[in-house]
Amino acid sequence: MPQDPMDFEWSYWIEWGRERILWLLAGHLLVSQVSRLLVEKYKPWCLMVYGMAACWLLLGIKGFAVILLHAAVSFAVAQFQLSLLTWLCSLILLSTLRIPAVEETKRKWYDTENEYYLLLFTVSVRCLFCTSFSLEYCWHAPTQKSSHSFPWMLAYVFYYPTFHNGPLVNFDEFSKQMRRQEAFSVKTNLSILIVGIIRIFFWWCLAELMIHLMYIHALYSSALPLESASYWALGGLALAQVLFFYVKYLVLYGVPALLLRMDGLKPPALPCCVSLMHSFTKMWRTFDVGLHRFLVRYIYVPMGGSQSSLLGTLLSTALTFAFVSYWHGGQSYLWYWGALNWLGVIVENGTKRILSISLIQDLI
């Protein structure tokens, strides 16, 4: 039975995974386990060299040069230790991905659109990693700068399991865990690997069944069946859409999460099932945990967060969603999506504050 071809993200990453990425991830696993067994002290540098080689092999020397240039510029700007300047640099680097002339130049580097999109997705994710490192550099004392050197930035930026599509791991978490040396057990790691592969294979089979049997995305691409459907049917389609999105990211984040565990690191929690969610706030906290931690640590809290006035909370939340919308591409529909999510979070938090008033609680 033919599959629904309309979900670009799933088709794209599955195709790349089968062709090269899974093999490169297997190579990373081999290098990681050998380095943990023989040269634990030098594991970050072994993985850094492997990640750079994998990047060069997959994206070519020009793609590798772009990512290295982004890292070098971010590190140079971070030397001023000004968070605002670091953010300005990050936004400018991110904006270069949307300049038509630059886009056309990068397209000419590759034979296919898929190769160009791989560079685009990779650089977008690397921008977040560069931002995380640079802000941590700005916030740490001069005595701690040795743990925030340029080689450590390269080890972080070129860490291959999270290289193309995440999940996002903040530099402070990555650095602490990568420096920690612990007992290595081949038997324990092998059991983690086998159980992890079985789980991911089950999720992949479930996603393939959904995309071969349900045709959710094909239905959404045509207005005629949607116009003739009842409200109950539309609600069912919407639920099916988000459930497939959830299962898809169990696979896309499950593979790198397994490799992180094999490397002795603690990955962000996998997405929480959308059927268990009833609020915007919970969705943002538990679906993409790595992105949530990034947004809270580097945008929401520095801007005042919940500890500031009502206006300050509204502003910090608005800036957080504005960045998410811009990072995802900045198209008009993404701004609407971000605004609606911001509104949902504000209404929920406002309702909670009202319900926490003692008089209201007494009435309840």
Side-chain angles (χ1 to χ4, degrees), residues 299-301 303-306 308 311-321:
I299 303 178
Y300 185 70
V301 171
M303 290 303 299
S306 58
S308 62
L311 187 60
T313 303
L314 291 173
L315 178 61
S316 54
T317 310
L319 286 174
T320 301
F321 282 110

Side-chain angles (χ1 to χ4, degrees), residues 87 121-133 135 156-157 159 161-174 177 249 252-254 256-257 260 265-271 287-299 323-324 327-328:
W87 265 116
F121 297 148
T122 303
V123 175
S124 296
V125 176
R126 293 307 94 199
C127 279
L128 297 185
F129 279 68
C130 289
T131 303
S132 175
F133 176 90
L135 289 171
Y156 174 57
V157 169
Y159 181 68
T162 62
F163 191 66
H164 298 294
N165 195 40
L168 186 57
V169 181
N170 293 339
F171 178 73
D172 60 322
E173 300 169 12
F174 175 85
Q177 295 175 36
Y249 269 88
L252 296 182
Y253 279 178
L260 280 159
L265 309 180
K266 184 180 179 182
L270 291 177
F287 192 86
D288 192 335
V289 176
L291 180 60
H292 174 259
R293 289 175 180 169
F294 176 93
L295 297 172
V296 169
R297 181 169 178 81
Y298 301 121
I299 303 178
F323 175 76
V324 172
W327 178 70
H328 275 90

Side-chain angles (χ1 to χ4, degrees), residues 7 28 51 72 83 171-172 176 192 222 224 226 238 260 318 325 359:
D7 188 87
H28 169 93
S83 298
F171 178 73
D172 60 322
K176 288 174 188 174
I192 291 172
S222 177
L224 187 61
L226 296 179
L260 280 159
S325 301
L359 178 61

Side-chain angles (χ1 to χ4, degrees), residues 15-54:
E15 182 181 344
W16 268 109
R18 287 170 178 164
E19 286 185 1
R20 296 187 189 179
I21 291 178
L22 277 181
W23 298 105
L24 290 172
L25 289 173
H28 169 93
L29 178 62
L30 179 62
V31 171
S32 168
Q33 299 311 293
V34 170
S35 61
R36 288 190 75 185
L37 189 63
L38 301 178
V39 286
E40 175 76 17
K41 183 179 179 182
Y42 300 104
K43 180 182 71 174
W45 317 123
C46 295
L47 297 181
M48 178 191 76
V49 171
Y50 180 85
M52 295 174 83

Side-chain angles (χ1 to χ4, degrees), residues 87-162:
W87 265 116
L88 183 61
C89 171
S90 298
L91 292 173
I92 290 172
L93 289 175
L94 198 57
S95 69
T96 60
L97 302 180
R98 301 177 180 93
I99 299 173
V102 176
E103 287 182 334
E104 285 305 312
T105 300
K106 290 176 181 176
R107 275 191 168 91
K108 292 176 183 177
W109 296 348
Y110 301 106
D111 296 327
T112 64
E113 281 286 294
N114 276 359
E115 290 175 295
Y116 164 71
Y117 281 128
L118 185 64
L119 174 65
L120 182 65
F121 297 148
T122 303
V123 175
S124 296
V125 176
R126 293 307 94 199
C127 279
L128 297 185
F129 279 68
C130 289
T131 303
S132 175
F133 176 90
S134 299
L135 289 171
E136 294 294 340
Y137 186 96
C138 292
W139 296 346
H140 282 75
T143 54
Q144 298 173 296
K145 291 306 181 212
S146 60
S147 60
H148 293 73
S149 61
F150 189 61
W152 266 106
M153 184 183 196
L154 295 182
Y156 174 57
V157 169
F158 285 97
Y159 181 68
Y160 196 68
T162 62

Side-chain angles (χ1 to χ4, degrees), residues 59-103:
L59 299 176
I61 187 171
K62 293 178 179 178
F64 171 79
V66 167
I67 294 171
L68 191 61
L69 179 63
H70 275 235
V73 171
S74 297
F75 185 78
V77 173
Q79 304 306 302
F80 293 98
Q81 294 187 269
L82 297 172
S83 298
L84 185 60
L85 190 60
T86 292
W87 265 116
L88 183 61
C89 171
S90 298
L91 292 173
I92 290 172
L93 289 175
L94 198 57
S95 69
T96 60
L97 302 180
R98 301 177 180 93
I99 299 173
V102 176
E103 287 182 334

